[in-house]
Amino acid sequence: MVFRNVLISTIFVCSSLFGMNVFANFQQVPPERIKSLMEEADQGVSQSQYLLGYAYFTGSSVPRDLNLSMYWHQKAADQGHMMSQFNLGLFYGSSPLNDYTASAKWYRKAANQGHSGSQHSLGDYYFFGRGVPKDINQAKKSTIYINPIGGLELYNKEDFLNNNIELYFLKTNQIIYKQF
């Protein structure tokens, strides 16, 4: 029970700190709807799985149960449900789980569908190197990298092109300083 309370509290605090209202579009599930949601979820309806995941997370018409919440969100996320993918990103990235690799995986899936909160979180992960290699280009979604210093032999242009990033080097004119 302590695990659940800590995780739930952490998600509330993190969502408040980062300006993400994870419950912005959530409406309480009416108690009489739970039975039909469970039947639909068991038949593979991702929206019903998502709603059950939310209901179990918030304790809306069912007892609060983080394990069942994650179970139903996982089912919906595996079918491509964007909000469940985002919620799994939140779950895995929050204390006490702190599995940033799993969190980044789910944020990426939701971000690829256009979820702005996931795009923001994934950008932070790339910027700070949480669960993914630290990569400022990914964090800033840049498509051009300009190296003003040189060092052409240190960079593999093909690697950059494979990641849809153009690589350029600035070359300064030779400066001749007059000596005495």
Side-chain angles (χ1 to χ4, degrees):
M1 188 60 149
V2 172
F3 170 79
R4 290 182 190 143
N5 291 337
V6 169
L7 180 60
I8 290 168
S9 297
T10 302
I11 290 174
F12 279 116
V13 169
C14 289
S15 65
S16 298
L17 286 174
F18 296 110
M20 293 184 288
N21 184 355
V22 286
F23 300 109
N25 297 319
F26 181 69
Q27 297 176 353
Q28 185 154 346
V29 178
E32 63 274 6
R33 180 82 168 96
I34 295 296
K35 183 179 178 185
S36 62
L37 276 178
M38 288 193 175
E39 290 171 359
E40 293 166 7
D42 283 335
Q43 293 171 2
V45 178
S46 66
Q47 182 65 16
S48 297
Q49 293 167 340
Y50 160 73
L51 288 172
L52 276 178
Y54 242 100
Y56 279 112
F57 182 78
T58 61
S60 171
S61 302
V62 292
R64 183 176 283 161
D65 187 325
L66 183 60
N67 292 326
L68 282 173
S69 177
M70 288 187 72
Y71 171 81
W72 287 114
H73 277 301
Q74 182 75 52
K75 290 278 200 185
D78 286 341
Q79 293 186 67
H81 194 283
M82 180 178 68
M83 286 304 299
S84 281
Q85 291 169 341
F86 171 68
N87 288 335
L88 285 177
L90 280 175
F91 287 155
Y92 282 111
S94 300
S95 178
L97 294 178
N98 284 338
D99 183 347
Y100 292 122
T101 303
S103 178
K105 167 190 163 186
W106 290 110
Y107 279 147
R108 184 176 295 105
K109 287 178 183 254
N112 287 341
Q113 294 186 62
H115 190 273
S116 61
S118 294
Q119 292 167 344
H120 174 80
S121 295
L122 192 58
D124 282 349
Y125 278 25
Y126 276 111
F127 188 78
F128 294 107
R130 288 189 189 122
V132 294
K134 190 171 185 174
D135 186 339
I136 194 81
N137 285 49
Q138 282 286 343
K140 298 297 182 183
K141 294 291 181 201
S142 62
T143 57
I144 298 174
Y145 180 83
I146 300 173
N147 185 341
I149 300 170
L152 182 61
E153 65 280 353
L154 300 175
Y155 295 87
N156 183 344
K157 196 166 189 169
E158 189 175 313
D159 288 342
F160 280 79
L161 290 173
N162 288 338
N163 288 296
N164 297 319
I165 299 172
E166 296 177 50
L167 177 63
Y168 295 98
F169 293 88
L170 296 181
K171 183 175 181 181
T172 60
N173 292 331
Q174 185 178 11
I175 300 171
I176 301 175
Y177 295 98
K178 290 187 176 187
Q179 303 289 321
F180 306 100

